[in-house]
Amino acid sequence: MTGSYHGASPGAIQHHYDLSDTFYALWLDPGLTYSCALWEGVADDLAAAQQRKLAHLAAQARVTRARRVLEVGCGWGSMLRHLLDEEGVDHVVGLTLSPAQAASISSWADPRCEVRLENWTDHDGGPYDGVISIGALEHFARYDATRAERLESYRAFFDRCHEWLPPRHRLVLQTNVNGSNSHLDRATVQELMFIIEKIFPESGIPWLSEIMEASQKRFDVVRMRNDPDHYARTCQAWHDRLRARRDEAAALVGEQAVADYLHYLSSTVRHFERRHLGLARIVFERYE
């Protein structure tokens, strides 16, 4: 691992994502897409909103009928499946630090899909026609890292993406960011620290300014949107689905874990609604 990586360890990633596939299946959409959806209208449902998000990000990456596409932080593989089944990509590579996620993808993957239990810092791949990363940047720098250390990690990531992509090809990034409302009361600080310590250890939310600075001289920003309301709605849907199946969830992971997750999801709804957090969808293009 390179000296410029200040992010979460494999153990910290597994603490969260390897809790139980069956547990997550109770409250995520059928594709197990564990990231902000893209909603349309009050009658929209979670599954449709997640599929719309996948299609939107793939379109922004311009990878329809591409030869090879990399996903950094591939989760349970919903984007990999979308790229193969809906976008006609010839070959996809997904990186994860979660053995449970890697095993889940391997259970359905065919020769067109390659999943690697590997940190992006160690990935020796490319060239790729596009790179997509959804909800992974939050794990690239720890919450207690200095700004200089965070920039070093993010810059190293953009350097690698620059190496993997030919000129005029795209990196599409979806990530939580710190919001514009920096006035945090004591209760909000306690909730945020609970999420850091109990749910996502060794991880930290980037500032949008850090992402922009780290990408300079490597990529042009083609398009950006901030969708905190979409993530508030997504977390509310997850919370309601988990609450409805609380007894089943408790039988899988224990009552305390379920209570922790319900608290994490309900408080996260508030953080997005109050703009303590934002949700950035950013399209980068390698300019040379």
PDB file of all heavy atoms in Angstrom, residues 179-198:
ATOM      1  N   GLY A 179     -21.606  19.438   4.149  1.00  0.00           N
ATOM      2  CA  GLY A 179     -22.552  20.410   3.628  1.00  0.00           C
ATOM      3  C   GLY A 179     -22.195  21.840   3.957  1.00  0.00           C
ATOM      4  O   GLY A 179     -21.221  22.129   4.665  1.00  0.00           O
ATOM      5  N   SER A 180     -23.019  22.732   3.443  1.00  0.00           N
ATOM      6  CA  SER A 180     -22.763  24.163   3.629  1.00  0.00           C
ATOM      7  C   SER A 180     -23.133  24.638   5.030  1.00  0.00           C
ATOM      8  O   SER A 180     -22.648  25.671   5.495  1.00  0.00           O
ATOM      9  CB  SER A 180     -23.561  24.967   2.597  1.00  0.00           C
ATOM     10  OG  SER A 180     -24.956  24.695   2.727  1.00  0.00           O
ATOM     11  N   ASN A 181     -24.004  23.896   5.722  1.00  0.00           N
ATOM     12  CA  ASN A 181     -24.427  24.284   7.068  1.00  0.00           C
ATOM     13  C   ASN A 181     -23.436  23.726   8.083  1.00  0.00           C
ATOM     14  O   ASN A 181     -23.510  22.565   8.479  1.00  0.00           O
ATOM     15  CB  ASN A 181     -25.837  23.754   7.348  1.00  0.00           C
ATOM     16  CG  ASN A 181     -26.330  24.163   8.729  1.00  0.00           C
ATOM     17  OD1 ASN A 181     -25.681  24.925   9.434  1.00  0.00           O
ATOM     18  ND2 ASN A 181     -27.487  23.655   9.107  1.00  0.00           N
ATOM     19  N   SER A 182     -22.499  24.547   8.490  1.00  0.00           N
ATOM     20  CA  SER A 182     -21.445  24.112   9.412  1.00  0.00           C
ATOM     21  C   SER A 182     -21.774  24.409  10.868  1.00  0.00           C
ATOM     22  O   SER A 182     -20.937  24.217  11.745  1.00  0.00           O
ATOM     23  CB  SER A 182     -20.115  24.787   9.045  1.00  0.00           C
ATOM     24  OG  SER A 182     -20.234  26.200   9.107  1.00  0.00           O
ATOM     25  N   HIS A 183     -22.995  24.892  11.139  1.00  0.00           N
ATOM     26  CA  HIS A 183     -23.379  25.221  12.515  1.00  0.00           C
ATOM     27  C   HIS A 183     -23.974  23.960  13.160  1.00  0.00           C
ATOM     28  O   HIS A 183     -25.157  23.671  13.013  1.00  0.00           O
ATOM     29  CB  HIS A 183     -24.394  26.370  12.517  1.00  0.00           C
ATOM     30  CG  HIS A 183     -23.871  27.615  11.876  1.00  0.00           C
ATOM     31  ND1 HIS A 183     -22.875  28.383  12.451  1.00  0.00           N
ATOM     32  CD2 HIS A 183     -24.181  28.216  10.704  1.00  0.00           C
ATOM     33  CE1 HIS A 183     -22.615  29.414  11.671  1.00  0.00           C
ATOM     34  NE2 HIS A 183     -23.386  29.337  10.605  1.00  0.00           N
ATOM     35  N   LEU A 184     -23.127  23.220  13.853  1.00  0.00           N
ATOM     36  CA  LEU A 184     -23.539  21.958  14.437  1.00  0.00           C
ATOM     37  C   LEU A 184     -23.790  22.118  15.933  1.00  0.00           C
ATOM     38  O   LEU A 184     -22.904  22.565  16.661  1.00  0.00           O
ATOM     39  CB  LEU A 184     -22.454  20.895  14.214  1.00  0.00           C
ATOM     40  CG  LEU A 184     -21.973  20.687  12.774  1.00  0.00           C
ATOM     41  CD1 LEU A 184     -20.923  19.578  12.736  1.00  0.00           C
ATOM     42  CD2 LEU A 184     -23.124  20.363  11.848  1.00  0.00           C
ATOM     43  N   ASP A 185     -24.983  21.740  16.386  1.00  0.00           N
ATOM     44  CA  ASP A 185     -25.235  21.765  17.816  1.00  0.00           C
ATOM     45  C   ASP A 185     -24.679  20.490  18.447  1.00  0.00           C
ATOM     46  O   ASP A 185     -24.203  19.584  17.765  1.00  0.00           O
ATOM     47  CB  ASP A 185     -26.725  21.938  18.109  1.00  0.00           C
ATOM     48  CG  ASP A 185     -27.587  20.840  17.484  1.00  0.00           C
ATOM     49  OD1 ASP A 185     -27.074  19.723  17.244  1.00  0.00           O
ATOM     50  OD2 ASP A 185     -28.773  21.104  17.226  1.00  0.00           O
ATOM     51  N   ARG A 186     -24.738  20.418  19.760  1.00  0.00           N
ATOM     52  CA  ARG A 186     -24.141  19.299  20.472  1.00  0.00           C
ATOM     53  C   ARG A 186     -24.761  17.958  20.047  1.00  0.00           C
ATOM     54  O   ARG A 186     -24.056  16.975  19.850  1.00  0.00           O
ATOM     55  CB  ARG A 186     -24.311  19.488  21.977  1.00  0.00           C
ATOM     56  CG  ARG A 186     -23.643  18.397  22.821  1.00  0.00           C
ATOM     57  CD  ARG A 186     -23.948  18.613  24.300  1.00  0.00           C
ATOM     58  NE  ARG A 186     -23.417  19.887  24.756  1.00  0.00           N
ATOM     59  CZ  ARG A 186     -22.175  20.062  25.212  1.00  0.00           C
ATOM     60  NH1 ARG A 186     -21.336  19.030  25.241  1.00  0.00           N
ATOM     61  NH2 ARG A 186     -21.780  21.238  25.627  1.00  0.00           N
ATOM     62  N   ALA A 187     -26.086  17.933  19.888  1.00  0.00           N
ATOM     63  CA  ALA A 187     -26.752  16.684  19.506  1.00  0.00           C
ATOM     64  C   ALA A 187     -26.302  16.208  18.128  1.00  0.00           C
ATOM     65  O   ALA A 187     -26.099  15.008  17.906  1.00  0.00           O
ATOM     66  CB  ALA A 187     -28.266  16.877  19.530  1.00  0.00           C
ATOM     67  N   THR A 188     -26.125  17.139  17.201  1.00  0.00           N
ATOM     68  CA  THR A 188     -25.681  16.773  15.856  1.00  0.00           C
ATOM     69  C   THR A 188     -24.269  16.220  15.882  1.00  0.00           C
ATOM     70  O   THR A 188     -23.973  15.211  15.226  1.00  0.00           O
ATOM     71  CB  THR A 188     -25.755  18.003  14.928  1.00  0.00           C
ATOM     72  OG1 THR A 188     -27.113  18.446  14.841  1.00  0.00           O
ATOM     73  CG2 THR A 188     -25.253  17.658  13.532  1.00  0.00           C
ATOM     74  N   VAL A 189     -23.394  16.851  16.642  1.00  0.00           N
ATOM     75  CA  VAL A 189     -22.022  16.362  16.763  1.00  0.00           C
ATOM     76  C   VAL A 189     -22.012  14.955  17.348  1.00  0.00           C
ATOM     77  O   VAL A 189     -21.282  14.066  16.871  1.00  0.00           O
ATOM     78  CB  VAL A 189     -21.186  17.317  17.638  1.00  0.00           C
ATOM     79  CG1 VAL A 189     -19.815  16.707  17.932  1.00  0.00           C
ATOM     80  CG2 VAL A 189     -21.018  18.666  16.932  1.00  0.00           C
ATOM     81  N   GLN A 190     -22.826  14.721  18.362  1.00  0.00           N
ATOM     82  CA  GLN A 190     -22.890  13.393  18.970  1.00  0.00           C
ATOM     83  C   GLN A 190     -23.386  12.348  17.974  1.00  0.00           C
ATOM     84  O   GLN A 190     -22.880  11.220  17.931  1.00  0.00           O
ATOM     85  CB  GLN A 190     -23.799  13.436  20.202  1.00  0.00           C
ATOM     86  CG  GLN A 190     -23.207  14.197  21.373  1.00  0.00           C
ATOM     87  CD  GLN A 190     -24.177  14.333  22.536  1.00  0.00           C
ATOM     88  OE1 GLN A 190     -25.395  14.190  22.384  1.00  0.00           O
ATOM     89  NE2 GLN A 190     -23.642  14.613  23.727  1.00  0.00           N
ATOM     90  N   GLU A 191     -24.369  12.713  17.166  1.00  0.00           N
ATOM     91  CA  GLU A 191     -24.878  11.781  16.158  1.00  0.00           C
ATOM     92  C   GLU A 191     -23.823  11.461  15.111  1.00  0.00           C
ATOM     93  O   GLU A 191     -23.656  10.299  14.710  1.00  0.00           O
ATOM     94  CB  GLU A 191     -26.123  12.359  15.486  1.00  0.00           C
ATOM     95  CG  GLU A 191     -27.361  12.334  16.348  1.00  0.00           C
ATOM     96  CD  GLU A 191     -28.573  12.888  15.645  1.00  0.00           C
ATOM     97  OE1 GLU A 191     -28.416  13.604  14.631  1.00  0.00           O
ATOM     98  OE2 GLU A 191     -29.693  12.606  16.105  1.00  0.00           O
ATOM     99  N   LEU A 192     -23.111  12.472  14.665  1.00  0.00           N
ATOM    100  CA  LEU A 192     -22.072  12.255  13.662  1.00  0.00           C
ATOM    101  C   LEU A 192     -20.951  11.394  14.217  1.00  0.00           C
ATOM    102  O   LEU A 192     -20.429  10.509  13.516  1.00  0.00           O
ATOM    103  CB  LEU A 192     -21.533  13.603  13.168  1.00  0.00           C
ATOM    104  CG  LEU A 192     -22.510  14.419  12.322  1.00  0.00           C
ATOM    105  CD1 LEU A 192     -21.952  15.822  12.073  1.00  0.00           C
ATOM    106  CD2 LEU A 192     -22.813  13.735  10.992  1.00  0.00           C
ATOM    107  N   MET A 193     -20.578  11.621  15.471  1.00  0.00           N
ATOM    108  CA  MET A 193     -19.529  10.801  16.073  1.00  0.00           C
ATOM    109  C   MET A 193     -20.004   9.363  16.279  1.00  0.00           C
ATOM    110  O   MET A 193     -19.222   8.421  16.141  1.00  0.00           O
ATOM    111  CB  MET A 193     -19.086  11.403  17.404  1.00  0.00           C
ATOM    112  CG  MET A 193     -18.306  12.703  17.265  1.00  0.00           C
ATOM    113  SD  MET A 193     -16.883  12.560  16.143  1.00  0.00           S
ATOM    114  CE  MET A 193     -15.931  11.258  16.937  1.00  0.00           C
ATOM    115  N   PHE A 194     -21.276   9.178  16.586  1.00  0.00           N
ATOM    116  CA  PHE A 194     -21.826   7.830  16.693  1.00  0.00           C
ATOM    117  C   PHE A 194     -21.681   7.083  15.364  1.00  0.00           C
ATOM    118  O   PHE A 194     -21.274   5.915  15.323  1.00  0.00           O
ATOM    119  CB  PHE A 194     -23.301   7.908  17.094  1.00  0.00           C
ATOM    120  CG  PHE A 194     -24.036   6.600  16.950  1.00  0.00           C
ATOM    121  CD1 PHE A 194     -23.970   5.641  17.942  1.00  0.00           C
ATOM    122  CD2 PHE A 194     -24.800   6.342  15.812  1.00  0.00           C
ATOM    123  CE1 PHE A 194     -24.640   4.428  17.804  1.00  0.00           C
ATOM    124  CE2 PHE A 194     -25.464   5.134  15.673  1.00  0.00           C
ATOM    125  CZ  PHE A 194     -25.393   4.180  16.667  1.00  0.00           C
ATOM    126  N   ILE A 195     -21.998   7.758  14.266  1.00  0.00           N
ATOM    127  CA  ILE A 195     -21.894   7.124  12.946  1.00  0.00           C
ATOM    128  C   ILE A 195     -20.448   6.770  12.644  1.00  0.00           C
ATOM    129  O   ILE A 195     -20.152   5.676  12.137  1.00  0.00           O
ATOM    130  CB  ILE A 195     -22.482   8.051  11.871  1.00  0.00           C
ATOM    131  CG1 ILE A 195     -23.995   8.197  12.071  1.00  0.00           C
ATOM    132  CG2 ILE A 195     -22.181   7.514  10.464  1.00  0.00           C
ATOM    133  CD1 ILE A 195     -24.638   9.244  11.187  1.00  0.00           C
ATOM    134  N   ILE A 196     -19.526   7.660  12.970  1.00  0.00           N
ATOM    135  CA  ILE A 196     -18.106   7.407  12.711  1.00  0.00           C
ATOM    136  C   ILE A 196     -17.599   6.245  13.555  1.00  0.00           C
ATOM    137  O   ILE A 196     -16.887   5.363  13.067  1.00  0.00           O
ATOM    138  CB  ILE A 196     -17.283   8.677  13.008  1.00  0.00           C
ATOM    139  CG1 ILE A 196     -17.569   9.746  11.946  1.00  0.00           C
ATOM    140  CG2 ILE A 196     -15.790   8.361  13.063  1.00  0.00           C
ATOM    141  CD1 ILE A 196     -16.981  11.103  12.275  1.00  0.00           C
ATOM    142  N   GLU A 197     -17.958   6.230  14.813  1.00  0.00           N
ATOM    143  CA  GLU A 197     -17.392   5.237  15.732  1.00  0.00           C
ATOM    144  C   GLU A 197     -18.073   3.871  15.632  1.00  0.00           C
ATOM    145  O   GLU A 197     -17.412   2.837  15.727  1.00  0.00           O
ATOM    146  CB  GLU A 197     -17.481   5.771  17.164  1.00  0.00           C
ATOM    147  CG  GLU A 197     -16.585   6.982  17.398  1.00  0.00           C
ATOM    148  CD  GLU A 197     -16.828   7.631  18.749  1.00  0.00           C
ATOM    149  OE1 GLU A 197     -17.757   7.198  19.472  1.00  0.00           O
ATOM    150  OE2 GLU A 197     -16.093   8.585  19.084  1.00  0.00           O
ATOM    151  N   LYS A 198     -19.389   3.861  15.427  1.00  0.00           N
ATOM    152  CA  LYS A 198     -20.132   2.606  15.479  1.00  0.00           C
ATOM    153  C   LYS A 198     -20.439   2.012  14.108  1.00  0.00           C
ATOM    154  O   LYS A 198     -20.529   0.792  13.966  1.00  0.00           O
ATOM    155  CB  LYS A 198     -21.456   2.820  16.233  1.00  0.00           C
ATOM    156  CG  LYS A 198     -21.301   3.171  17.679  1.00  0.00           C
ATOM    157  CD  LYS A 198     -20.934   1.948  18.521  1.00  0.00           C
ATOM    158  CE  LYS A 198     -22.100   0.997  18.637  1.00  0.00           C
ATOM    159  NZ  LYS A 198     -21.827  -0.132  19.572  1.00  0.00           N
TER     160      LYS A 198
END
